[in-house]
Amino acid sequence: MKTKQRNVRFDERTSEQLDLLAQVTGKTASQVLRDLLMEGEVRVSTRVGDKTIQEALVRYHHDMNENYLHTNAKLERVETLISSFGERATNNQKVADLLYTVESHLIQIKQDLSQYRQQTDKEASDLVNLQR
């Protein structure tokens, strides 16, 4: 597209208004004038840039995965300890019942952790979709 340069004279008040529109919209004075001529209006864009959204989303997913893996590893370690303790306490029914209860709670915690991860992933995706 070929462009032409135009010189336009404004009074001080009009020039200040153009500068203010440029500042508010984050556009140059030329872009503001082009929008006014072509569209009849100047739109303010409050949208966060796609790159910024993607970077934040990558950090979020990385942190979430690290947290999930770390917590899951600790839960697996506790399960291993319970199994080891259970093997040693096979003759004591009260200890066996207690270990079964603890193991049931660990399974529930793992399920809750997985559900929490899925929920937060969905919420993050919904937030990103709102920005678009």
Side-chain angles (χ1 to χ4, degrees), residues 68-87:
Y68 179 80
L69 292 172
H70 178 74
T71 304
N72 224 16
K74 285 188 172 193
L75 289 172
E76 287 175 9
R77 177 73 178 133
V78 171
E79 283 178 330
T80 303
L81 292 171
I82 289 171
S83 294
S84 174
F85 186 63
E87 290 169 3

Side-chain angles (χ1 to χ4, degrees), residues 19-78:
D19 291 339
L20 180 62
L21 277 172
Q23 183 180 13
V24 168
T25 60
K27 299 178 179 185
T28 65
S30 295
Q31 289 171 322
V32 169
L33 289 173
R34 266 189 234 108
D35 284 355
L36 284 171
L37 289 170
M38 301 303 285
E39 316 257 335
E41 64 183 347
V42 178
R43 295 187 185 144
V44 177
S45 177
T46 57
R47 178 180 157 174
V48 177
D50 286 343
K51 185 176 180 182
T52 304
I53 291 171
Q54 289 172 351
E55 288 171 354
L57 195 56
V58 166
R59 278 192 312 273
Y60 167 80
H61 280 292
H62 174 75
D63 292 347
M64 193 66 180
N65 284 335
E66 288 293 317
N67 188 356
Y68 179 80
L69 292 172
H70 178 74
T71 304
N72 224 16
K74 285 188 172 193
L75 289 172
E76 287 175 9
R77 177 73 178 133
V78 171

Side-chain angles (χ1 to χ4, degrees), residues 84-132:
S84 174
F85 186 63
E87 290 169 3
R88 294 180 189 153
T90 53
N91 295 336
N92 188 333
Q93 187 60 40
K94 286 183 180 181
V95 172
D97 290 345
L98 177 63
L99 291 176
Y100 177 78
T101 302
V102 171
E103 195 167 20
S104 297
H105 285 297
L106 283 175
I107 290 169
Q108 185 62 47
I109 290 170
K110 283 180 129 181
Q111 290 172 347
D112 291 346
L113 180 64
S114 180
Q115 287 175 347
Y116 174 73
R117 181 180 181 195
Q118 290 173 355
Q119 166 113 17
T120 53
D121 282 347
K122 182 186 179 312
E123 289 174 0
S125 294
D126 290 347
L127 285 173
V128 170
N129 289 336
L130 284 176
Q131 291 291 325
R132 294 181 184 211

